[in-house]
């Protein structure tokens, strides 16, 4: 199995390490690459879009038409996981901030996303979530987005109050937090299993 972590910007290396650890735990042979090379990404069996700054990542992946390649692969059924800024980019609809910054979304998941939803007071925090298919998970949120509307085909995996913080639509997995910043690799394991 070949996993590509899109290395435009953000916490790329942490995803690479978590993913390798998850593969080891599952006893799956494979390679994990940090890349923005279209040809390399084209050979992937799974793709991760990390957290960082969504406007910047969006600009970089649209510059060399990597965005189109990711969309094509996703539409062919390859699992794509987006965390935090990556989660923003997966969405079909954005909030005002996303429009104002002219951030181009990949539109792979039928959801509306709100950027920096927890405001200044709670810029970063931990929360114990009960995630469907995973169980209890200590999640790290950093200037996190949330899903404020989800279409019928979207499976809601976790919430904080009325905010959706994890969701899945077929082969697309969205998380507003950072599983790669913890030692717990269960989410990466779940994601890898989506691709086998
Ligand atoms: N606030 C960032 C954005 O809107 C996302 C934060 C993150 O990925 N940690 O792009």
């Amino acid at each position: 199995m070949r996993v590509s972590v899109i290395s435009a910007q953000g916490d790329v290396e942490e995803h690479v390490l978590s993913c390798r650890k998850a593969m080891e735990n599952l006893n799956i042979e494979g390679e994990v690459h940090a890349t923005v090379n279209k040809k390399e990404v084209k050979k992937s069996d799974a793709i991760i879009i990390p957290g960082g700054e969504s406007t910047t990542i969006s600009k970089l992946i649209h510059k060399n038409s990597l965005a189109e390649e990711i969309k094509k692969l996703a539409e062919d059924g390859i699992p794509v996981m987006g965390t935090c800024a990556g989660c923003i980019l997966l969405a079909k609809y954005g909030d005002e901030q996303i429009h104002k910054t002219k951030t181009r979304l990949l539109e792979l998941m039928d959801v509306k996303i709100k950027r920096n939803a927890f405001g200044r007071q709670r810029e970063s925090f931990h929360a114990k979530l009960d995630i469907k298919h995973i169980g209890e998970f200590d999640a790290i949120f950093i200037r996190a987005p949330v899903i404020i509307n989800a279409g019928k085909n979207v499976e809601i995996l976790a919430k904080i109050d009325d905010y959706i913080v994890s969701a899945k639509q077929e082969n697309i997995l969205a998380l507003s937090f950072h599983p790669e910043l913890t030692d717990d690799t269960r989410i990466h394991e779940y994601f890898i299993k989506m691709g086998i």
Side-chain angles (χ1 to χ4, degrees):
M1 178 175 207
R2 190 186 173 97
V3 182
S4 291
V5 179
I6 304 301
S7 59
Q9 186 258 342
D11 48 356
V12 175
E13 206 45 43
E14 292 83 349
H15 266 299
V16 171
L17 297 176
S18 294
C19 219
R20 288 195 180 133
K21 214 165 124 195
M23 278 180 170
E24 245 176 71
N25 293 347
L26 292 170
N27 239 321
I28 286 173
E29 294 260 337
E31 296 166 36
V32 188
H33 297 274
T35 182
V36 278
N37 183 303
K38 230 171 82 174
K39 279 192 193 135
E40 235 176 72
V41 173
K42 203 179 180 143
K43 291 187 263 172
S44 319
D45 301 303
I47 295 170
I48 297 177
I49 310 173
E53 215 280 319
S54 51
T55 311
T56 310
I57 298 176
S58 173
K59 272 194 195 133
L60 292 170
I61 62 173
H62 278 96
K63 216 161 96 185
N64 62 352
S65 59
L66 178 58
E68 282 78 11
E69 191 58 55
I70 297 171
K71 265 181 90 107
K72 207 155 72 200
L73 291 166
E75 278 152 13
D76 286 346
I78 280 178
V80 180
M81 171 163 76
T83 60
C84 206
C87 169
I88 296 175
L89 297 180
L90 293 179
K92 195 161 175 186
Y93 309 103
D95 68 348
E96 225 172 280
Q97 264 194 69
I98 291 165
H99 288 295
K100 254 195 226 155
T101 52
K102 297 195 171 73
T103 305
R104 287 169 71 187
L105 305 177
L106 293 169
E107 302 176 354
L108 291 170
M109 190 181 263
D110 186 15
V111 295
K112 179 168 180 181
I113 197 102
K114 179 176 162 69
R115 230 178 134 178
N116 301 321
F118 293 98
R120 292 242 162 118
Q121 283 89 353
R122 287 184 84 198
E123 279 211 333
S124 89
F125 60 95
H126 281 244
K128 273 220 158 46
L129 300 178
D130 187 15
I131 309 177
K132 199 169 165 189
H133 309 304
I134 308 283
E136 196 171 275
F137 196 91
D138 194 12
I140 301 174
F141 290 79
I142 305 169
R143 291 170 54 78
V146 296
I147 292 169
I148 45 175
N149 264 316
K152 277 200 303 283
N153 299 335
V154 178
E155 185 184 10
I156 295 165
L157 303 184
K159 276 178 143 189
I160 293 185
D161 303 325
D162 286 336
Y163 286 156
I164 301 166
V165 293
S166 178
K168 180 175 181 281
Q169 183 178 330
E170 291 165 23
N171 53 320
I172 313 294
L173 182 63
L175 312 161
S176 23
F177 52 94
H178 291 269
E180 76 287 2
L181 297 182
T182 57
D183 289 333
D184 193 336
T185 54
R186 282 177 298 153
I187 291 179
H188 285 81
E189 287 169 29
Y190 176 76
F191 173 66
I192 286 165
K193 283 196 271 183
M194 282 167 58
I196 51 176

